[in-house]
Amino acid sequence: MTLDFEKEKLVRELKKRKPGKVLVQLAEGIKQNATEFQPVFDELGIEVIFSGETSWGACAPAVQEAEALGADLIVHFGHAEFMKLDFPIVYIEVRDILDLNPLLQKSLSKLKKYKRIGFSYSVQHRHDVEKIKKFYEKHGKQFVLSKKLGHVAYEGHIVGCQYAGLKSIEQDVDCFLILGNQFHAMGAVLSVEKPVILLDVYNNEVRELSGLRERILKQRMASIEKFRNAKNIGIITEIKPGQKFGSPTYLLEKLKEQGKNPIIITMNELSPDKILNFYNIDAFIELACPRIAIDDFAKYPRTIITFKEALVALGIKSWQQMLKIGLV
Ligand code: SF4
């Protein structure tokens, strides 16, 4: 076994729930490990099918897929629970087993001018949090975990669209330290104004993400400006249970009031090729993962903005109000 996951929890849950058929969802980075999970189900005589669909977050448990297959349980590997649903789901976390000491040592020079550190981590590092806290406290720092607010599973846990927990401690810290990857840190940069430093375990680097916030905000303002000139608007919703960022009917009404010509479009998963054939739509508002418009806008053939940005474009909220809440 090369992967460290909550095997005991998995076996315990399977024995307790006694499912006939299980649909397994694997986070993208562990799809390569599917064959390592199969024996756990085989040993218990449980039929298992692995979903080949994308699994970017626990916001998207494959309930419809499970129902279509007649599965009576979903086992979701690699993310922590995002929200409660009626369908039975077991979340199994996967741990990254790494020696973080060299990276923590390296971070001290970047943290010299900061005393109070706001800390968040992606879930595969949860088992290391106590060690990390002790390390920084030993070096004279105050260590403050982000609050458990919104759809995060633990204090300090970071998810790419949930930054209320960081915002809530912003006044108590001098900087934020994120253990994870660029994706999580970039969301933090857009949500808080204090400096954000990334402990990038995958590239063995410590980076202060200065300048990124201004660059992205400038780009988002440009997209909002373009959107204001658009006439035909597509409001895109996804069927994923956790990706309901805003009300399509509310937007439909507001857009009509402003003389625009909006329609609502539904998708399993938004992608640039799917919007191509809506060739007479000038701009899109996506109510799925807000990181699609923000991170991937360049891949889209037309202007695409988030729900929050649409509120700014329509004059319902000011840009400053939006920055206060956080763009993501
Ligand atoms: S909505 Fe986007 S950022 Fe939020 S959990 Fe899902 S994939 Fe991650």
Side-chain angles (χ1 to χ4, degrees):
M1 225 39 192
T2 56
L3 210 63
D4 189 317
F5 68 100
E6 296 177 306
K7 187 175 178 187
E8 280 177 15
K9 176 180 171 185
L10 176 61
V11 171
R12 189 173 67 240
E13 289 291 332
L14 291 175
K15 283 184 175 168
K16 185 174 89 188
R17 294 169 186 252
K18 300 186 178 41
K21 193 194 269 186
V22 171
L23 176 68
V24 166
Q25 275 188 292
L26 300 170
E28 291 309 296
I30 54 169
K31 283 215 162 55
Q32 63 197 346
N33 301 91
T35 52
E36 297 177 34
F37 297 117
Q38 175 83 35
V40 181
F41 296 90
D42 288 347
E43 277 164 26
L44 296 169
I46 295 168
E47 185 183 351
V48 59
I49 298 171
F50 290 85
S51 172
E53 297 301 321
T54 53
S55 175
W56 304 113
C59 57
V63 176
Q64 288 192 333
E65 207 180 338
E67 284 172 346
L69 286 165
D72 39 19
L73 178 70
I74 294 173
V75 177
H76 187 111
F77 284 91
H79 302 114
E81 186 177 64
F82 188 85
M83 63 198 299
K84 298 272 176 233
L85 289 171
D86 285 342
F87 198 89
I89 306 174
V90 174
Y91 294 86
I92 300 296
E93 290 171 27
V94 175
R95 304 177 196 101
D96 261 2
I97 304 299
L98 301 163
D99 175 11
L100 292 175
N101 261 318
L103 201 62
L104 297 182
Q105 287 291 351
K106 216 191 258 188
S107 72
L108 290 174
S109 62
K110 291 255 190 284
L111 292 168
K112 243 186 207 148
K113 54 184 175 193
Y114 308 121
K115 168 90 177 153
R116 301 168 304 164
I117 300 171
F119 186 78
S120 290
Y121 60 90
S122 50
V123 77
Q124 60 271 40
H125 306 296
R126 185 161 71 93
H127 58 285
D128 279 324
V129 172
E130 263 315 298
K131 263 187 274 170
I132 296 169
K133 180 176 185 284
K134 279 191 187 134
F135 174 88
Y136 286 116
E137 285 177 348
K138 202 175 95 194
H139 287 86
K141 308 288 181 193
Q142 266 177 39
F143 187 86
V144 186
L145 284 173
S146 54
K147 293 235 164 73
K148 182 183 175 312
L149 292 175
H151 296 294
V152 299
Y154 312 101
E155 198 182 16
H157 177 207
I158 199 168
V159 173
C161 55
Q162 306 289 319
Y163 290 94
L166 279 81
K167 281 196 84 64
S168 71
I169 60 163
E170 190 166 10
Q171 296 315 313
D172 308 326
V173 302
D174 304 319
C175 72
F176 285 94
L177 189 61
I178 309 294
L179 175 59
N181 60 25
Q182 167 92 8
F183 177 75
H184 293 116
M186 186 172 133
V189 159
L190 293 175
S191 306
V192 294
E193 291 182 50
K194 295 266 167 79
V196 174
I197 296 161
L198 168 63
L199 291 174
D200 184 344
V201 288
Y202 306 106
N203 296 301
N204 197 28
E205 275 177 8
V206 182
R207 271 181 289 141
E208 181 160 353
L209 303 177
S210 50
L212 191 60
R213 179 178 166 91
E214 287 65 34
R215 206 166 66 237
I216 298 170
L217 292 184
K218 215 163 141 195
Q219 192 289 314
R220 298 319 299 154
M221 280 168 92
S223 287
I224 290 171
E225 222 27 70
K226 274 196 205 154
F227 180 90
R228 286 191 173 122
N229 297 322
K231 176 79 177 160
N232 293 341
I233 309 290
I235 305 167
I236 299 171
T237 63
E238 274 190 10
I239 59 169
K240 293 173 184 168
Q243 295 200 7
K244 311 270 178 226
F245 291 86
S247 158
T249 48
Y250 171 80
L251 282 179
L252 194 78
E253 196 184 305
K254 293 290 169 195
L255 287 159
K256 280 183 183 164
E257 276 171 25
Q258 297 206 9
K260 305 229 184 254
N261 193 17
I263 60 165
I264 297 174
I265 304 163
T266 181
M267 293 183 188
N268 291 332
E269 182 163 297
L270 170 56
S271 64
D273 53 312
K274 282 190 189 155
I275 67 169
L276 270 180
N277 285 338
F278 290 95
Y279 63 88
N280 70 330
I281 300 286
D282 307 314
F284 294 87
I285 304 169
E286 59 101 351
L287 308 183
C289 172
R291 301 297 298 270
I292 297 173
I294 295 171
D295 296 41
D296 294 344
F297 74 95
K299 295 182 188 158
Y300 283 79
R302 262 156 272 148
T303 301
I304 184 159
I305 64 174
T306 65
F307 178 73
K308 285 183 175 178
E309 291 167 343
L311 297 182
V312 175
L314 292 168
I316 297 165
K317 289 250 190 262
S318 72
W319 179 244
Q320 286 313 321
Q321 283 172 317
M322 196 51 65
L323 291 187
K324 218 167 166 199
I325 304 167
L327 200 62
V328 179

